Amino acid sequence: MADDGASDSEGSDISGVNEVMNEDFEGELAGDNVDPLDRAQDGGDDETRPQWIDNLFHESDESGDEFEGFHPDWVTDPRRFRPVNVPDCLLDGGSAYQHPEESTAGYYFGLMWDDEMWDRLTTESNRYATQQRTAHPPPPSAARWTDATKDGMKAFIGLCFSMGILKLPRRHLYWRTTKWLLKTNFPLVMARNKFDQMWRYLHLQDNMVPAPEGEKAWKLRWFLDHLTSRFQETYTPYGHATIDESMIKFKGRLSFRQYLPSKPIKWGIKMWALCESDSGYACNMQMYTGKIDGQQEKGLAHRVCMDLLAPVLGTNLQVYMDNLYTSVALLSDLRVRGILACGTVRANRKGLPTTLLPKNVRLQRGEFRRAQKDDLAYSIWMDTKPVVVMSNFHDPAEQGTVLRRREQARTQVPVPKMLEDYQQHMRGVDLLDQAISYYTLNHRSKKWWRRVFFYGMMVTAHNAYVVAKDQGHAFHTQQWPTFLDFLEDLATDLIGDTRADRAPQLPRLPGRPLQTHTLERMFAKRRVCRECSLSSTAGDRAQATNYGCRECSVPLHQKCLSAHINRSNIG
């Protein structure tokens, strides 16, 4: 077991201590820390400390009056709290541009998993197959390898999505031809031997290119960097985001495998993630690769937060995090850099008000105390255990409510506003994990990077679903009410017209020529789709569209084109 690095947070088991304000910011940004989670707070040498910091906490030479712009200590008297003005978020949330109303699931997936990704997958897989078959020639009886094409790779990924939806205990069972009740259509799309070969030679990085020194994720570096850049270019969070850990299940031998007992997936590869709070859209990701030269990284939590938030610095985005990350140094640094942060905090952090630590204050259930220091607000609230929350943008005097069970009934309980907001918005990564956990392909493999690859594939599909729903089209709401519906259409779009060499053709009448059908925008006023009208049941309302089949002159959705072609060719 390799449990290096930061341990997992413990949910609402919160208490905390943080760091003092009169610190050398330059030393903090340089990364000089003692605790793995926090920046060390020494003041630095007088010669290197910026003069403006000394001026904040020393008497003015001219007037002799003490500077009163900041509180040097925590203020616990509510009558002395200063009002706080929360700046507006500068982000224009949502999709980067408007998409066509009847765009397919494959179209939204392609916004992030673009042609460059398909070309990379196809090229590197073919290169790896050539290298392996040259170094280790297969026996004459082995299946012949033919280079993968882009369409073939799309069909392969489409089948992988289908395997996540329809789970069977063995991969070869998807190609069985007996037991007609449990057969699938996988043999019609791709032969089993071809799929097994593509599975074996799937690759993302040329093995002949040496990895940089200390780079443990070289096989996936381009893949992860490309995906995260596409995520950020395609969609912007609306104003609230979450930083948390996401686990990828893996129990094989790996130097940076993690054990997090409080997570649903306890053993695996840890991903740091920044997700939108309301939708779970993954805005940024980073894989944790363990110790550096055998030593734990200092300031790990601080560095991770800065890396994840780098694309949105200066936007006043509200970010929520748990007690693994929150510290006085981090929240002060984020406020200076234009990020509004709030999170639970552990009791052993430096700089928290000592009189309001859980060990020094006795509260009845439902009671709370608050403190303020410059832009920072602190609160401790007693539930079944003390819950400590800290923020760099909340007014400590403001109150909210949360639901709690009291004597077999759920009632609204008054709490500090920062705790109410934390409970409401600290869920983005959990929404992402929940959505993809139901349909992730989990077939066993000794190659750890495959698990990360399929994780990235599912995150891309989830992000594409969020972008589609964000468009607000009635067509999307009716077509994809759930993520499962979107995945099914996505797998179908990726497979497209790809068929196995011996796959049966579509049935048609003997001697009847196949007719060409072209979909285009034909009607100024929306008309009821022909196929929806024919296939709708009692009580269902057929959907209208501006598109139609040019040859048949009938209104037709893009999703109904294949059904229209089959109906016309069969008779």
Side-chain angles (χ1 to χ4, degrees):
M1 178 183 75
D3 189 12
D4 22 288
S7 60
D8 185 43
S9 58
E10 304 189 14
S12 64
D13 231 347
I14 317 138
S15 24
V17 180
N18 273 273
E19 296 147 21
V20 291
M21 230 5 229
N22 53 342
E23 59 190 317
D24 182 359
F25 286 178
E26 296 295 324
E28 180 191 55
L29 297 178
D32 298 327
N33 1 22
V34 176
D35 186 77
L37 302 178
D38 303 308
R39 299 290 183 187
Q41 300 301 307
D42 31 61
D45 298 329
D46 292 339
E47 297 179 356
T48 61
R49 181 187 301 118
Q51 183 63 36
W52 65 271
I53 294 182
D54 291 335
N55 293 341
L56 295 181
F57 304 103
H58 291 78
E59 294 183 356
S60 170
D61 294 334
E62 298 180 359
S63 64
D65 296 331
E66 184 178 356
F67 179 75
E68 297 181 351
F70 296 98
H71 290 150
D73 298 310
W74 288 96
V75 175
T76 59
D77 186 355
R79 294 171 297 181
R80 296 179 57 198
F81 289 163
R82 296 184 306 170
V84 177
N85 295 322
V86 181
D88 295 332
C89 182
L90 303 179
L91 292 174
D92 185 12
S95 180
Y97 36 84
Q98 191 70 18
H99 304 287
E101 180 177 353
E102 296 187 0
S103 299
T104 63
Y107 167 85
Y108 287 108
F109 184 75
L111 296 175
M112 290 158 274
W113 198 285
D114 54 11
D115 287 338
E116 188 177 357
M117 178 69 76
W118 292 119
D119 291 339
R120 177 89 173 200
L121 272 174
T122 305
T123 301
E124 294 302 334
S125 296
N126 289 334
R127 190 200 312 273
Y128 182 64
T130 302
Q131 293 172 351
Q132 289 295 301
R133 295 174 79 86
T134 301
H136 310 285
S141 59
R144 183 173 60 91
W145 165 259
T146 56
D147 282 350
T149 63
K150 186 185 293 187
D151 288 340
M153 185 61 68
K154 289 182 178 181
F156 172 80
I157 297 298
L159 291 179
C160 290
F161 275 121
S162 302
M163 289 179 176
I165 298 171
L166 178 64
K167 298 183 185 295
L168 293 176
R170 298 289 184 271
R171 199 168 66 231
H172 68 86
L173 296 178
Y174 291 98
W175 279 267
R176 60 183 170 188
T177 57
T178 59
K179 300 182 180 178
W180 63 270
L181 186 62
L182 301 176
K183 288 191 299 184
T184 71
N185 286 327
F186 278 51
L188 304 181
V189 178
M190 185 178 292
R192 184 188 64 185
N193 289 344
K194 179 63 176 177
F195 184 91
D196 289 343
Q197 285 182 328
M198 294 186 69
W199 179 278
R200 176 182 178 183
Y201 297 127
L202 181 67
H203 223 64
L204 290 163
Q205 179 65 46
D206 185 2
N207 285 349
M208 303 305 294
V209 178
E213 184 178 358
E215 175 61 88
K216 300 179 183 179
W218 178 237
K219 286 182 179 293
L220 291 168
R221 179 56 54 209
W222 181 90
F223 172 75
L224 293 175
D225 290 347
H226 184 76
L227 279 186
T228 52
S229 67
R230 295 303 303 151
F231 293 166
Q232 293 158 18
E233 293 172 8
T234 305
Y235 183 89
T236 304
Y238 274 98
H240 302 90
T242 303
I243 291 179
D244 204 353
E245 311 94 64
S246 178
M247 289 290 287
I248 304 172
K249 186 176 182 180
F250 184 74
K251 292 187 177 181
R253 298 175 66 88
L254 186 63
S255 62
F256 51 87
R257 184 187 62 173
Q258 295 289 291
Y259 175 65
L260 303 183
S262 64
K263 291 286 185 180
I265 298 177
K266 294 177 173 51
W267 290 94
I269 302 166
K270 181 160 65 176
M271 299 287 292
W272 314 102
L274 171 69
C275 296
E276 186 181 37
S277 297
D278 295 333
S279 65
Y281 184 93
C283 305
N284 207 351
M285 298 186 303
Q286 189 177 103
M287 185 168 67
Y288 175 63
T289 55
K291 296 180 179 179
I292 301 176
D293 297 329
Q295 300 294 323
Q296 288 186 358
E297 179 183 354
K298 294 183 178 181
L300 176 63
H302 195 290
R303 192 268 303 166
V304 166
C305 289
M306 288 301 176
D307 289 349
L308 294 178
L309 293 170
V312 292
L313 291 178
T315 62
N316 296 329
L317 177 69
Q318 294 185 16
V319 180
Y320 295 82
M321 58 194 73
D322 62 22
N323 56 22
L324 174 62
Y325 310 92
T326 311
S327 67
V328 168
L330 177 62
L331 265 59
S332 301
D333 201 358
L334 289 177
R335 185 59 191 260
V336 171
R337 295 167 183 263
I339 295 294
L340 310 182
C342 175
T344 54
V345 60
R346 294 176 178 176
N348 60 350
R349 299 290 196 222
K350 298 178 182 178
L352 295 184
T354 55
T355 58
L356 295 184
L357 293 179
K359 63 181 180 181
N360 297 331
V361 63
R362 295 292 180 265
L363 300 175
Q364 299 297 321
R365 185 173 183 182
E367 292 183 343
F368 56 86
R369 298 288 185 273
R370 295 154 293 176
Q372 186 183 49
K373 179 180 176 182
D374 303 328
D375 290 326
L376 301 182
Y378 169 98
S379 70
I380 177 171
W381 172 67
M382 177 60 73
D383 192 22
T384 54
K385 295 180 179 179
V387 179
V388 181
V389 182
M390 192 164 63
S391 170
N392 67 6
F393 68 95
H394 279 94
D395 188 336
E398 193 174 359
Q399 294 189 17
T401 59
V402 296
L403 275 176
R404 278 296 178 269
R405 185 176 296 278
R406 296 286 179 85
E407 299 179 356
Q408 307 301 320
R410 294 178 65 86
T411 59
Q412 295 285 351
V413 178
V415 296
K417 179 63 176 177
M418 65 185 83
L419 197 147
E420 179 190 37
D421 289 346
Y422 175 85
Q423 185 192 51
Q424 180 181 356
H425 299 297
M426 184 60 193
R427 58 176 185 169
V429 179
D430 293 336
L431 290 176
L432 172 67
D433 287 343
Q434 182 183 24
I436 68 176
S437 64
Y438 301 131
Y439 314 113
T440 299
L441 176 62
N442 282 325
H443 284 269
R444 299 183 63 177
S445 175
K446 293 182 180 179
K447 298 181 179 180
W448 63 268
W449 67 266
R450 288 184 185 272
R451 289 300 182 97
V452 183
F453 173 80
F454 289 122
Y455 173 86
M457 186 180 79
M458 288 301 303
V459 171
T460 306
H462 177 265
N463 282 1
Y465 177 66
V466 173
V467 174
K469 300 293 283 187
D470 179 69
Q471 296 299 295
H473 297 317
F475 169 76
H476 295 152
T477 304
Q478 186 269 339
Q479 183 70 9
W480 305 314
T482 66
F483 183 42
L484 173 60
D485 298 307
F486 181 85
L487 280 180
E488 292 172 343
D489 283 1
L490 173 58
T492 302
D493 291 343
L494 291 176
I495 292 170
D497 296 329
T498 302
R499 296 293 181 268
D501 294 338
R502 299 182 182 180
Q505 301 298 317
L506 291 173
R508 58 188 179 93
L509 295 179
R512 183 187 180 98
L514 292 176
Q515 184 180 358
T516 302
H517 299 269
T518 306
L519 188 71
E520 63 182 24
R521 192 179 186 95
M522 297 178 56
F523 310 104
K525 186 177 180 180
R526 294 165 62 91
R527 298 174 60 182
V528 175
C529 171
R530 174 71 175 275
E531 288 299 320
C532 289
S533 177
L534 293 175
S535 60
S536 61
T537 58
D540 292 338
R541 182 177 179 181
Q543 299 297 313
T545 179
N546 299 109
Y547 289 78
C549 177
R550 183 177 62 189
E551 288 74 16
C552 302
S553 299
V554 296
L556 195 67
H557 284 123
Q558 185 173 355
K559 67 184 181 68
C560 298
L561 178 60
S562 59
H564 174 68
I565 294 174
N566 293 341
R567 190 188 302 274
S568 300
N569 289 336
I570 292 175

